[in-house]
Amino acid sequence: MPTSNKQNKIVQSKWLYLAIVILLSATTIAAWYYRQYKKQPALQQFRDKQQGYTTYTGTPGERKQFSLADGTVVILNGNSRLMVPDDFASKHSVLLDGEAYFDAPAALTVKTNILVMTTQPSAAFKIRCFEQQQGATGYLVRGKVQVTKSYHSTTDNQPEILGDGNMILANKEIDLMEKETYVPLEMQEWLAEKITFEKEPFMNVMHKLEDWYGTEIYVDGNGGELPPITASFDHATLSEVMDKIKKQADFKYKIKPEQVEIKF
C-alpha cells in the first residue's frame, strides 16, 4: 500500500506539472496574439490597399485636437486612432478606431467597424466605436448625418437620418441599430471639457471617467466603501483628475495604454 500511494503521488505530480506547463503555454500564446494584434494596422479589413494612410493616435487619458485638410476640426479621445487616406482631398472619407468628435464644414464620411456616418452636407457629431468592442454610439450636435452599418446585415440595412437631439445606438453582436434621443447638456459639457462631481459615489465617478476619457478603469479593492467625491475640473487630463480625487480617497493609480489601474 505505501508503494501504491507513492506511485499515485508521483502520477499526480506529473499531471500537475503538465497542467502548469499547458497553462503557461496558453498564457504565452494569448500574450503573443495580443502583441501581434497591436502590431496590425487598425481596421485593416476596411483599408484600401492602393492607399497610404496618415494615422493620428490619441494619448491615453487626454484629448487631441487638430484640423484636417478640408478644415474639419477633430477632437480625438484617448486610446483612439484616426486614419486619413492619401486621397482624402477628393474622397473626404476617414477611418476611426475609438472615439472622436468631428465638426465638418463640408462633406465627410467616417467609417468604423460597425457604423458609417456621413454628413448631409455639413455637420458636427461624435462617434464612439472601438474595433475590439461590439457596441457603438453616435451623437449629432449640429446639422444632419446619415448612419448606416459598415457590415452586411441579414435583417436590416436601411440607413437612419439623425437630426437635432438624435443619437444612434448599435450592437454588432445582436445586429442592432436604433435611433434615440439624448440630453444635449451632456454633450456640451464633454465639448467644454468641464466635469463636476457633487457627492458622487466613487464607482459612479470612475464609470463616468471611463466614458469621458475613452478608457477602461480597473479598481482593485472595494470602492463602494469610500466617501462620495466632490470635485470639478476644467480641461484636465485624466492624471490631473486622479491626482485630485486621490486626496479624497486614498489610492494609487497607474495609467497604461490599455487601461487605468487603481489599487487601495
Side-chain angles (χ1 to χ4, degrees):
M1 288 296 293
T3 303
S4 177
N5 288 337
K6 184 176 180 180
Q7 289 176 342
N8 288 338
K9 288 182 179 180
I10 292 174
V11 172
Q12 290 174 0
S13 297
K14 287 182 177 179
W15 277 110
L16 178 62
Y17 174 77
L18 181 60
I20 292 173
V21 170
I22 293 174
L23 178 61
L24 291 175
S25 298
T27 303
T28 303
I29 292 171
W32 182 84
Y33 274 112
Y34 176 77
R35 288 194 298 269
Q36 294 305 307
Y37 163 74
K38 295 296 285 185
K39 292 179 182 179
Q40 292 179 358
L43 300 177
Q44 190 171 20
Q45 69 274 29
F46 294 109
R47 292 178 181 239
D48 184 346
K49 295 180 181 179
Q50 307 301 318
Q51 288 290 323
Y53 288 83
T54 299
T55 300
Y56 297 87
T57 304
T59 303
E62 299 181 22
R63 296 179 190 172
K64 180 183 294 185
Q65 181 171 325
F66 52 92
S67 297
L68 302 180
D70 66 347
T72 296
V73 176
V74 180
I75 301 176
L76 188 65
N77 212 347
N79 300 318
S80 301
R81 290 177 286 184
L82 181 70
M83 286 68 70
V84 181
D86 292 345
D87 66 354
F88 176 76
S90 60
K91 298 293 183 62
H92 301 284
S93 179
V94 296
L95 300 178
L96 174 68
D97 174 24
E99 183 177 38
Y101 165 83
F102 300 89
D103 190 341
L108 178 70
T109 296
V110 179
K111 188 171 187 177
T112 71
N113 70 313
I114 298 177
L115 296 175
V116 179
M117 298 185 74
T118 303
T119 61
Q120 293 191 332
S122 66
F125 59 95
K126 181 162 75 78
I127 181 170
R128 180 189 182 106
C129 185
F130 288 88
E131 188 173 11
Q132 293 305 299
Q133 296 179 3
Q134 294 296 320
T137 56
Y139 300 82
L140 182 73
V141 178
R142 174 185 57 80
K144 288 185 178 180
V145 295
Q146 176 181 279
V147 186
T148 60
K149 297 174 182 177
S150 61
Y151 62 95
H152 177 71
S153 170
T154 57
T155 59
D156 180 19
N157 284 295
Q158 295 302 307
E160 291 280 4
I161 303 297
L162 302 188
D164 293 343
N166 286 153
M167 67 173 291
I168 201 80
L169 291 171
N171 188 297
K172 188 175 181 178
E173 187 175 21
I174 60 176
D175 195 17
L176 171 72
M177 186 179 79
E178 289 188 355
K179 182 167 69 173
E180 302 287 349
T181 58
Y182 74 97
V183 180
L185 179 60
E186 295 178 359
M187 180 61 66
Q188 293 170 12
E189 291 175 342
W190 191 91
L191 291 172
E193 295 192 54
K194 293 183 179 181
I195 185 170
T196 300
F197 302 109
E198 186 66 36
K199 295 182 180 180
E200 191 84 11
F202 179 82
M203 292 307 298
N204 287 8
V205 172
M206 294 301 107
H207 292 321
K208 190 164 186 178
L209 292 178
E210 283 184 317
D211 182 67
W212 197 264
Y213 292 100
T215 188
E216 178 187 358
I217 299 179
Y218 172 74
V219 179
D220 186 2
N222 190 356
E225 297 181 352
L226 296 174
I229 302 299
T230 297
S232 59
F233 305 94
D234 186 351
H235 289 79
T237 64
L238 182 55
S239 60
E240 292 171 338
V241 172
M242 288 297 185
D243 286 341
K244 189 171 182 178
I245 291 178
K246 76 176 185 178
K247 293 178 181 178
Q248 300 180 46
D250 186 21
F251 63 83
K252 295 181 180 179
Y253 75 90
K254 188 173 184 180
I255 298 178
K256 295 183 175 182
E258 64 277 7
Q259 69 177 10
V260 179
E261 293 180 354
I262 293 178
K263 290 186 178 182
F264 296 99

